[in-house]
Amino acid sequence: MAEQVEEPSVRPSDPWRGPKFLTAKHNGSHTWQVIAGSATLGLAVAAGAVLAAGPWDNGQRKAERALAAAADRTGGAHHGRTTPEGPRPAPSAPAVLPALTAGKAAQDPAGLRAALTPLVDAPGLGKKLAASVVDTATGEQLYGHGATTPMTPASTIKIATTTAALSVLGPDHRIATTAALSPDSRTLTLVGGGDPTLAKADLRAMAAEAAHALREDGEDGENPAGPVRLTYDVSRYTGPGLHPISPNENIAPVTALMIDEGRLDGSDRGPADRTDDPAGDAARAFAEALEKAGVQVAGAPREARAADEARTVATHRSAPLSALAERTLTNSDNDLAEALARQTAIAKGEKASFAGARRAVTNELKKLQLPVGGAHFADGSGLDRKDRVTPALLTALLARAADPDRPGLRPVLTGLPIAGFSGTLDGRYERDAAGTGLVRAKTGTLRGVNSLAGTVVDRQGRLLAFAFLASGSTSAAGAEPALDALATALTGV
């Protein structure tokens, strides 16, 4: 029987495809009333987002836009006239939004306890709940309920996976897929780099590059030696490719070469039928693209490592890691999470396997001075029930991502689903719910396990990080509203 896991929304915001424009939704999730009713609170959220998100906002660098604007050295009171020292503030435009914590009173832990205590015993949460709430500006724990208890995190473990990857590789890192040509120009090898988002269109572009290189090697622009043999190299990853819960519609075999995450139905998120041979499928798609580009391919593609002396004739690079991390969190993308864990392992000098990724992620979080005691990263996606994290670790991760001195970690915050609007929280909050648009959190769901970890801005204007991990629940339908109520309570204290 397939493991019960959360089913990501089919309409989350997608940082690769531009903004999601809200339209009327008769079940009450999205209406203009939400936007109008949240305008005042939106100012506070915007203030928090400016400080917490830093230069990152859905994978885009705000700093670059600011630099472009400043380059003209115009504006302000001079209304477009160039000034050597840059624009001066116009008298009619005083500062509107202060810094998030400027002049703000510290949160009262007693008030927080009073708000949360009646909610932690909700029957829907099951047999056990562990919780942590911290002030991200100070790192102070404001509320703890078994905060250092190791719990099964389900998909909230993706917060740890993406933080480690961003810390090691940086937000601008891209995963390369290459095609290597043997010295005699008779064997072309498709070399997987570990990008599960590789698409057929990307292979067509690579085939065109490879065809051009082959024509240059030939006489009079002809393919030099007739048909080429096509091989594919998946040696970048080691160890078992099947996740412990496989075969499963929530994850494809973990391999260094695949297209469209091994999906067979044309979808790009959520559960789907998966191929049992993602690397072979990718190679066959590349062979077809080569034929269309005018290259004859002899026989069927076979697995083989690229020769040491082979030269790269085509390259495709993934979207930057910032976008991959956001997509991992927004859509709860299991395939991407496992890929990022292995990329972290490679960068840390570990084997690109489940075991190597576990060591790499653990060691990187230790390097960030995070409380990893009791943590166990059996996988990068949270599908494995052997995973363990503490609520205190999750809130520490979120606080570190909010650290102004670590802007490269900001995609961990900007990728969190928004209550009632995006990703796995798209349908979780009604239009009139107090937390709609204000709670940003990663969800987690396995059979009997439910979790929620993210951020809110409280009434004092402080950015709080929270983690609520529950186990022993009888149904997600009962646990999720109880978790949402806990997160919503933080917006009103």
Side-chain angles (χ1 to χ4, degrees), residues 140-386:
E140 178 188 359
Q141 181 172 286
L142 304 173
Y143 177 83
H145 182 84
T148 58
T149 303
M151 301 280 286
T152 303
S155 280
T156 56
I157 204 171
K158 292 182 175 76
I159 294 172
T161 303
T162 53
T163 299
L166 287 164
S167 178
V168 173
L169 297 164
D172 298 325
H173 176 76
R174 295 172 186 261
I175 304 171
T177 304
T178 61
L181 186 63
S182 62
D184 62 5
S185 298
R186 294 185 178 184
T187 301
L188 186 64
T189 304
L190 182 62
V191 183
D195 175 15
T197 68
L198 186 71
K200 287 185 177 180
D202 305 323
L203 292 180
R204 288 194 293 270
M206 291 181 66
E209 286 185 59
H212 178 73
L214 285 164
R215 284 192 293 269
E216 285 190 334
D217 285 352
E219 298 179 1
D220 300 323
E222 296 294 333
N223 196 347
V228 297
R229 294 182 296 269
L230 178 61
T231 61
Y232 57 98
D233 186 345
V234 293
S235 62
R236 190 165 176 81
Y237 286 2
T238 61
L242 288 180
H243 190 279
I245 70 167
S246 294
N248 190 278
E249 62 181 3
N250 291 285
I251 189 169
V254 184
T255 177
L257 178 63
M258 64 170 64
I259 51 174
D260 301 326
E261 299 185 339
R263 295 171 180 272
L264 299 175
D265 62 356
S267 66
D268 63 357
R269 66 204 67 181
D273 289 336
R274 309 299 183 106
T275 177
D276 58 2
D277 184 19
D281 287 354
R284 286 184 284 274
F286 189 51
E288 182 179 343
L290 285 168
E291 293 277 3
K292 290 182 178 179
V295 177
Q296 287 184 287
V297 178
R302 61 182 180 85
E303 183 179 342
R305 297 189 67 162
D308 291 338
E309 62 274 19
R311 62 187 175 94
T312 298
V313 293
T315 301
H316 170 76
R317 299 186 185 278
S318 71
L321 184 58
S322 57
L324 297 180
E326 288 180 333
R327 173 170 166 171
T328 299
L329 295 165
T330 301
N331 294 348
S332 199
D333 194 310
N334 299 311
D335 302 278
L336 255 177
E338 297 301 345
L340 296 188
R342 277 160 177 71
Q343 296 296 316
T344 302
I346 293 168
K348 296 284 284 184
E350 298 281 357
K351 291 183 177 180
S353 62
F354 285 106
R358 178 178 68 248
R359 291 189 294 269
V361 170
T362 302
N363 289 335
E364 186 60 21
L365 298 189
K366 285 181 180 178
K367 182 179 177 182
L368 290 173
Q369 299 182 325
L370 293 163
V372 296
H376 179 71
F377 303 103
D379 66 3
S381 60
L383 292 173
D384 196 320
R385 288 180 176 275
K386 294 179 181 178

Side-chain angles (χ1 to χ4, degrees), residues 129-134 143-147 156 159 389-396 398 442 451-455 464-470 483 486 490:
L129 176 75
S132 174
V133 180
V134 304
Y143 177 83
H145 182 84
T156 56
I159 294 172
V389 302
T390 66
L393 173 58
L394 289 176
T395 50
L398 293 164
K442 182 70 200 76
S451 54
L452 191 67
T455 63
L464 307 182
F466 65 85
F468 303 116
L469 306 181
L483 290 171
L486 284 165
L490 300 176

